[in-house]
Amino acid sequence: MDVKTSFVNQAYANARSAAAPQPKAGAAEQGFTRLAGNFMEALQEHEATARSAMTGGADPHALVQALASSQLAVETVATVRDRVVEAYQEILRMPV
């Protein structure tokens, strides 16, 4: 093995570790917690609008808007869940 190759490998390893992103502690947890909180708030708000529309307190347009918004929120959460499961399955398929 050439000495220059060894130095190149060492320099590459040092540069790679220096350029690697440093995740913040709890950043992913905070993001998922905030996402779940926003989802629950949106569903509660839409549910209140639906209840109000059923009792005559809200106009039908607000009900339709709340239903469409809650459908979009549920579809978004389902898509995120599917992507997370897909990523997990890809990790399981990786050779060791």
Side-chain angles (χ1 to χ4, degrees), residues 47-67:
E47 186 177 317
T49 303
R51 257 192 246 117
S52 179
M54 285 187 238
T55 59
D59 62 82
H61 178 69
L63 175 63
V64 171
Q65 189 175 18
L67 289 174

Side-chain angles (χ1 to χ4, degrees), residues 10-22:
Q10 185 179 12
Y12 175 74
N14 290 339
R16 185 174 175 197
S17 64
Q22 301 297 326

Side-chain angles (χ1 to χ4, degrees), residues 13-34:
N14 290 339
R16 185 174 175 197
S17 64
Q22 301 297 326
K24 296 178 183 176
E29 291 177 20
Q30 291 174 358
F32 284 123
T33 302
R34 187 177 59 214

